[in-house]
Amino acid sequence: MRILLAGGAGYIGSHTAVCLLQAGHDVTIVDNYANSCPEAVRRIEQIAGRKADCFQADVKDRDTLLRIFREKPVDCVIHLAGLKAVGESVRNPIEYYRNNIDTTLSLLEVMRETGVHDFVFSSSATVYGEENPIPYLETMKKGSCSSPYGWTKSMMEQILTDAAAADPELSVVLLRYFNPIGAHPSGLIGEDPQGIPNNLMPYIAQVAVGRREHLTIFGDDYDTPDGTCRRDYIHVCDLAEGHRLAVEYAHEHRGVEIFNLGTGKPCSVLELVHAFEEASGVSIPYVIGPRRDGDLPQFWANADKARAVLGWQAGRGIGEMCRDTWNWQKNNPEGYRGGRI
């Protein structure tokens, strides 16, 4: 199949591109490199042993997007383009609403004009909100999100659901995934945030490699076993495989389907820090700070539906996630901008 990856040079996008190329699909990457790097595309091709078409463009730019669709015909869109940090979204809500929602509308408009009907959306567990019990199930009603980031995901899910209701040919797969970490085992691609990391694992890795002095843990007084937040961490390569299976499912079905992608096993912040120390052999100094706006105490997935319908299951544990992250970071201490390997 011919798959357009919006945001395909980013962290999740790059691993998904490798997975798709290795499975024999043709991939077109559209990315403005706002939080990614062209070097990632070279490394995607190095790992996969195949070329990907790549366009530097803003997915919000409808006219440019239309030109790309006409130049490189598309069978399915995977939408990964978007701003993604919970804390940052609380500080910059306008930028999050403008960027994330506009990208979705532009893709849907261009798909309609060019006759493309299959859409896989990178959603998030944050749409379950604060009211639902854990573990989260796809049958639960969406809740009140704790951040503008979460609300953009919830709104985009609604936009896609309404679009599919109006167009019986449209197939939409909403992938609600949890907390992606890890890196490709080659060490060639991984998470490389620009500036100060907003997510836990890349911050831990940058402390380990000497780029940051210490880690700040936001709160140790939550109602959890060790007082720190617990999350369902999933290896990014498992997540990439979920996208591949979702593309194949979308091609055979119409309407909207929702799938959780997670391990179903929560891990606390302190547990992740200690697991990384064990995997890397490096001590991670940390301090305890105040709670951060938008953080929930804990949540994790019930991913039974993905296993039953897609045949997908997370296969990599926390130890492997930490080892692969460290392999990426120690070989790329300054990320992609540190040079070619």
Side-chain angles (χ1 to χ4, degrees):
M1 293 174 63
R2 301 166 299 184
I3 302 165
L4 183 135
L5 274 176
Y11 173 47
I12 297 170
S14 60
H15 290 81
T16 300
V18 167
C19 183
L20 293 169
L21 287 167
Q22 290 180 329
H25 296 294
D26 295 323
V27 172
T28 297
I29 292 170
V30 181
D31 204 300
N32 64 358
Y33 304 126
N35 195 31
S36 58
C37 180
E39 173 64 12
V41 178
R42 185 188 73 83
R43 297 191 187 187
I44 289 167
E45 296 172 340
Q46 182 179 345
I47 297 168
R50 295 182 59 212
K51 296 285 290 183
D53 295 308
C54 188
F55 295 87
Q56 182 173 357
D58 193 323
V59 178
K60 298 191 300 293
D61 185 344
R62 184 188 178 283
D63 292 339
T64 299
L65 206 57
L66 181 59
R67 175 180 60 79
I68 293 169
F69 270 66
R70 286 174 171 164
E71 183 176 336
K72 295 291 180 181
V74 176
D75 295 313
C76 179
V77 168
I78 301 181
H79 182 12
L80 296 147
L83 302 173
K84 63 176 184 177
V86 169
E88 183 182 62
S89 77
V90 175
R91 297 189 300 272
N92 303 311
I94 295 172
E95 289 81 355
Y96 268 69
Y97 285 116
R98 170 65 72 187
N99 183 84
N100 290 3
I101 293 172
D102 276 7
T103 55
T104 303
L105 292 172
S106 293
L107 282 166
L108 283 171
E109 288 174 347
V110 172
M111 287 173 63
R112 181 174 59 186
E113 189 161 342
T114 56
V116 180
H117 304 296
D118 299 349
F119 196 111
V120 175
F121 178 57
S122 164
S123 191
S124 167
T126 58
V127 303
Y128 289 107
E130 303 179 30
E131 300 88 353
N132 282 305
I134 44 182
Y136 292 153
L137 284 164
E138 294 91 344
T139 52
M140 292 175 175
K141 290 184 177 180
K142 291 190 294 182
S144 299
C145 297
S146 60
S147 69
Y149 163 75
W151 280 117
T152 65
K153 292 294 187 181
S154 183
M155 291 175 182
M156 289 185 285
E157 281 198 5
Q158 189 62 52
I159 290 167
L160 289 162
T161 300
D162 292 342
D167 181 359
E169 292 191 63
L170 189 60
S171 176
V172 174
V173 177
L174 305 175
L175 296 180
R176 292 177 179 170
Y177 42 81
F178 285 66
N179 291 73
I181 59 174
H184 193 271
S186 67
L188 287 170
I189 58 175
E191 190 166 10
D192 182 29
Q194 296 186 24
I196 299 173
N198 288 295
N199 295 323
L200 176 61
M201 182 59 105
Y203 208 112
I204 292 173
Q206 289 190 12
V207 171
V209 84
R211 286 176 63 179
R212 308 287 168 192
E213 183 177 338
H214 64 265
L215 170 70
T216 298
I217 295 175
F218 297 107
D220 65 348
D221 57 349
Y222 288 96
D223 186 17
T224 61
D226 64 17
T228 64
C229 292
R230 296 203 295 170
R231 297 291 182 263
D232 186 341
Y233 295 102
I234 175 176
H235 198 294
V236 68
C237 290
D238 283 333
L239 191 62
E241 181 66 14
H243 286 80
R244 181 188 68 79
L245 292 168
V247 164
E248 296 169 2
Y249 180 86
H251 194 61
E252 300 298 330
H253 295 79
R254 299 298 97 184
V256 178
E257 284 288 349
I258 303 168
F259 297 100
N260 287 337
L261 298 184
T263 66
K265 300 175 182 177
C267 175
S268 76
V269 173
L270 281 175
E271 286 173 333
L272 187 65
V273 169
H274 297 324
F276 190 92
E277 289 178 325
E278 182 176 352
S280 65
V282 178
S283 178
I284 306 297
Y286 64 85
V287 298
I288 303 298
R291 293 186 182 193
R292 184 172 58 180
D293 290 341
D295 280 343
L296 296 179
Q298 57 185 348
F299 56 82
W300 59 89
N302 179 314
D304 289 348
K305 182 180 177 182
R307 181 169 61 251
V309 178
L310 298 180
W312 177 90
Q313 186 171 1
R316 299 165 175 88
I318 288 291
E320 191 168 353
M321 299 178 208
C322 291
R323 287 194 300 273
D324 288 342
T325 298
W326 179 233
N327 186 43
W328 149 257
Q329 195 69 78
K330 73 181 179 182
N331 286 303
N332 303 269
E334 299 298 325
Y336 291 117
R337 293 156 187 81
R340 297 159 67 96
I341 65 172

Coordinates of all heavy atoms in Angstrom, one line a residue, residues 4 42 86 111 119 135 153 168 177 192 219 233 247 279:
L4 N 0.8 7.6 3.5 CA 1.3 9.0 3.8 C 1.4 9.1 5.3 O 0.4 8.9 6.0 CB 0.5 10.1 3.2 CG 1.0 11.5 3.5 CD1 0.9 12.3 2.2 CD2 0.3 12.2 4.7
R42 N 17.1 9.9 6.7 CA 18.3 9.1 6.2 C 18.5 7.8 7.0 O 18.7 6.7 6.4 CB 19.6 9.9 6.3 CG 20.8 9.3 5.6 CD 22.1 10.0 5.9 NE 22.5 9.9 7.3 CZ 23.2 8.8 7.7 NH1 23.5 7.8 6.9 NH2 23.6 8.8 9.0
V86 N 2.0 17.4 27.5 CA 0.9 17.8 28.4 C 1.2 19.2 29.1 O 0.4 20.1 29.0 CB 0.6 16.7 29.4 CG1 -0.3 17.3 30.5 CG2 0.0 15.5 28.8
M111 N -7.9 14.6 1.6 CA -8.4 13.2 1.3 C -9.7 13.2 0.5 O -9.8 12.4 -0.4 CB -8.5 12.4 2.6 CG -7.2 12.1 3.3 SD -7.4 11.4 5.0 CE -8.3 9.9 4.6
F119 N -7.9 6.2 7.1 CA -7.3 7.2 8.0 C -7.0 6.5 9.4 O -7.9 5.9 10.0 CB -8.2 8.3 8.3 CG -7.6 9.6 8.8 CD1 -7.5 10.7 8.1 CD2 -7.2 9.6 10.2 CE1 -7.0 11.9 8.6 CE2 -6.6 10.8 10.7 CZ -6.5 11.9 9.9
P135 N -8.4 -0.3 34.6 CA -7.8 0.1 33.3 C -8.8 0.6 32.4 O -10.0 0.4 32.5 CB -7.2 -1.2 32.8 CG -8.1 -2.3 33.4 CD -8.5 -1.7 34.8
K153 N -6.9 16.0 21.3 CA -7.1 14.6 20.9 C -8.6 14.3 20.9 O -9.1 13.6 20.0 CB -6.3 13.7 21.8 CG -4.8 13.8 21.6 CD -4.3 13.4 20.3 CE -2.8 13.4 20.2 NZ -2.3 13.0 18.8
P168 N -19.8 7.3 4.2 CA -19.8 5.9 4.4 C -18.6 5.2 3.8 O -18.3 4.0 4.2 CB -21.1 5.4 3.7 CG -21.5 6.4 2.7 CD -21.0 7.7 3.3
Y177 N -3.1 5.3 22.3 CA -1.9 4.7 23.0 C -1.5 5.5 24.2 O -1.9 6.6 24.4 CB -0.8 4.4 22.0 CG -0.4 5.4 21.0 CD1 0.4 6.4 21.3 CD2 -0.8 5.2 19.7 CE1 0.8 7.3 20.4 CE2 -0.4 6.1 18.7 CZ 0.4 7.2 19.1 OH 0.8 8.1 18.1
D192 N 14.2 12.4 20.2 CA 15.2 13.5 20.2 C 14.5 14.8 20.3 O 14.4 15.6 19.3 CB 16.0 13.4 18.9 CG 17.1 14.5 18.8 OD1 17.6 14.9 19.9 OD2 17.4 14.9 17.7
G219 N 6.2 15.6 42.0 CA 5.3 15.1 43.0 C 5.6 13.7 43.5 O 5.8 12.8 42.6
Y233 N 3.8 2.3 30.1 CA 4.8 2.6 29.2 C 4.9 1.4 28.1 O 4.8 0.3 28.5 CB 6.2 2.7 29.8 CG 6.3 3.9 30.7 CD1 6.1 3.7 32.1 CD2 6.4 5.2 30.2 CE1 6.2 4.8 33.0 CE2 6.4 6.3 31.1 CZ 6.3 6.1 32.4 OH 6.4 7.2 33.3
V247 N -3.3 0.0 9.7 CA -3.4 0.3 8.3 C -4.1 -0.8 7.5 O -5.0 -0.6 6.7 CB -2.0 0.6 7.7 CG1 -2.1 0.5 6.2 CG2 -1.5 1.9 8.2
A279 N 19.6 -0.8 33.7 CA 19.9 -1.1 32.2 C 21.1 -0.4 31.8 O 21.9 -0.9 30.9 CB 18.7 -0.7 31.4

